[in-house]
Amino acid sequence: MNEWHGKKLIKQLPLWGILVSLALILSFIESLIPFYFGIPGMKLGLCNAIVVILLYLSSAREALLINLCRIVLAGFLFGNAFGILYSFGGALLSFLCMWTVYRTGLFTITTVSIIGGLTHNIGQLCVASAVLENVNIFWYAPALMLAGAVTGAVIGVLATELIPRLRFLFIS
Amino acid sequence: MNGMSKYVRKNDIILLSCIAVLIFVSFGLRIHSMMNNGSTIEITVDGKVYGRYALEQDQRIPVEIDDETKNIVVIADGEAYMAEASCPDKLCIHQGRIESRSQSIVCLPNRVIVTVVDGEEPEIDSMTD
C-alpha cells in the first residue's frame, strides 16, 4: 500500500464507521417493528437503502463491505449465528443481482432496489433450505418474492430521493 | 424528462412486468399444489425425520430434542399447527394451520419443520392425548 492509498483509507474510515453504525441502527429499528404478515423471514429491509445509496454514490466494494459488517454485528446483537448465515445468503445474492442490474445502466434506482428486495428473500430461502435440508420451504417463495418486491419499491423510492441529497458526502 | 417518472421508466416496466409474471406463475404453481390435501404430516429435526403422524387423528405431539421438549405440534380437525415452541420469536406458532400438501411450518431456531405429505400409512404410531 503506497502513501496515497493510506491517506485515502484514513479519509474513508470515519465515513465507513458512521455508515456501519447507521446501518446497525436501521437493523435495530427493524428488529423493534413487528413487521409480520404471516410469512416468516419477511422484513422491511431498511438497510438495503444504504446498500443502494452506496452503490450509486460510492462503490460496489464499499456497499458490500458495509453491509457485511452490519450483518455480522446485527447478527450478534439482535439475532443468532443462523440468522447471520441466512442474512449472508440473502445479502450476497441480492448484492450480485443489484450490481448486475445497476451495471447495465438501463434501469432506475427503484428497479435496482426492487431486484434487491426480491432476491434477498430468495437468497435467504436458499440458505435456509440448505441448512434445514428441506425444499418444502420454497413453498413460501412466491409470497416472499412479492413481499420483497413491495418493500424493495418503497426503499427504492426512498433511495431515489436521498441519493441526490447525499451526493455531497462522497465528493472528495 | 419528457413525462417519464424518475422512479420508473420504460426499461423498468419491461423488466418488472417479467418479474410480475414470474411471481404470478409461482403463485399459480403453489395454488395448484395446494389443491390436494395431504393425509400425513412429517416432522423433521435437523433434516432427519422425527416422525409421521396422520392428520385424521387429533393428537398432541411433543418434539423432544436432547431430552427436552422444544416444540409441541397439535393436530386438530385435520389441520396441524405449532402450539408451543421454546424459541423466543414464536414465528412458527404464528405460521398458523396447515393441511394442504407440501405446506409447512418452520421453526428455524430449533430446526424443526412440519410438512404435510401424501404419506401412505404413518410409520410411527403416535401417542394420543
Side-chain angles (χ1 to χ4, degrees):
Chain A
M1 189 191 291
N2 60 36
E3 201 191 339
W4 185 82
H5 266 109
K7 273 186 182 159
K8 199 177 170 226
L9 186 68
I10 285 165
K11 256 178 89 177
Q12 291 287 308
L13 268 176
L15 184 60
W16 289 349
I18 292 168
L19 288 169
V20 172
S21 335
L22 184 63
L24 212 50
I25 291 166
L26 292 180
S27 278
F28 179 60
I29 292 172
E30 230 174 43
S31 75
L32 292 179
I33 304 171
F35 188 76
Y36 189 80
F37 298 106
I39 313 160
M42 201 170 147
K43 264 187 188 173
L44 191 50
L46 282 172
C47 300
N48 201 38
I50 293 189
V51 180
V52 175
I53 289 167
L54 284 176
L55 198 59
Y56 275 87
L57 292 181
S58 182
S59 63
R61 221 174 47 177
E62 242 176 80
L64 188 62
L65 176 78
I66 304 257
N67 200 25
L68 294 186
C69 288
R70 193 268 307 173
I71 288 167
V72 173
L73 290 171
F76 283 120
L77 285 170
F78 325 119
N80 55 38
F82 276 105
I84 296 178
L85 206 61
Y86 300 133
S87 296
F88 265 130
L92 289 177
L93 185 69
S94 91
F95 178 77
L96 273 176
C97 295
M98 285 198 292
W99 188 58
T100 312
V101 173
Y102 164 76
R103 280 285 295 262
T104 62
L106 294 169
F107 304 103
T108 59
I109 300 166
T110 320
T111 300
V112 171
S113 174
I114 290 173
I115 297 292
L118 201 132
T119 51
H120 183 95
N121 288 342
I122 301 301
Q124 270 191 328
L125 262 187
C126 291
V127 176
S129 78
V131 169
L132 300 163
E133 295 173 43
N134 184 310
V135 288
N136 282 320
I137 57 169
F138 274 100
W139 198 84
Y140 292 112
L144 277 173
M145 283 199 287
L146 188 65
V150 172
T151 58
V154 174
I155 298 300
V157 170
L158 190 75
T160 310
E161 292 303 328
L162 283 173
I163 284 169
R165 291 171 173 83
L166 293 176
R167 184 154 279 144
F168 73 95
L169 276 175
F170 296 89
I171 294 168
S172 46
Chain B
M1 263 185 249
N2 37 5
M4 283 199 179
S5 157
K6 63 177 164 177
Y7 301 124
V8 191
R9 297 191 193 130
K10 199 176 143 202
N11 288 334
D12 304 274
I13 292 170
I14 295 168
L15 181 67
L16 295 176
S17 313
C18 295
I19 290 168
V21 168
L22 195 82
I23 293 175
F24 272 114
V25 169
S26 60
F27 262 114
L29 287 174
R30 196 178 99 164
I31 290 164
H32 179 76
S33 78
M34 273 169 67
M35 295 303 205
N36 313 320
N37 275 17
S39 58
T40 308
I41 55 162
E42 185 177 86
I43 301 177
T44 62
V45 178
D46 240 337
K48 291 177 199 80
V49 178
Y50 179 86
R52 292 178 135 215
Y53 309 88
L55 274 172
E56 290 170 342
Q57 196 176 16
D58 287 1
Q59 52 192 308
R60 220 175 142 79
I61 308 149
V63 180
E64 285 171 18
I65 305 168
D66 301 329
D67 296 327
E68 249 181 273
T69 303
K70 296 280 190 183
N71 295 69
I72 295 177
V73 181
V74 171
I75 297 176
D77 308 321
E79 295 175 323
Y81 61 93
M82 194 70 87
E84 276 170 49
S86 64
C87 52
D89 55 16
K90 311 281 183 221
L91 285 183
C92 48
I93 295 173
H94 294 300
Q95 281 167 41
R97 292 162 171 262
I98 55 171
E99 51 159 350
S100 313
R101 195 159 55 85
S102 76
Q103 262 188 307
S104 62
I105 299 173
V106 185
C107 176
L108 286 183
N110 296 343
R111 273 167 289 158
V112 172
I113 303 180
V114 184
T115 316
V116 180
V117 290
D118 265 336
E120 305 78 54
E121 68 269 21
E123 285 166 14
I124 299 164
D125 265 342
S126 39
M127 56 195 102
T128 5
D129 271 7

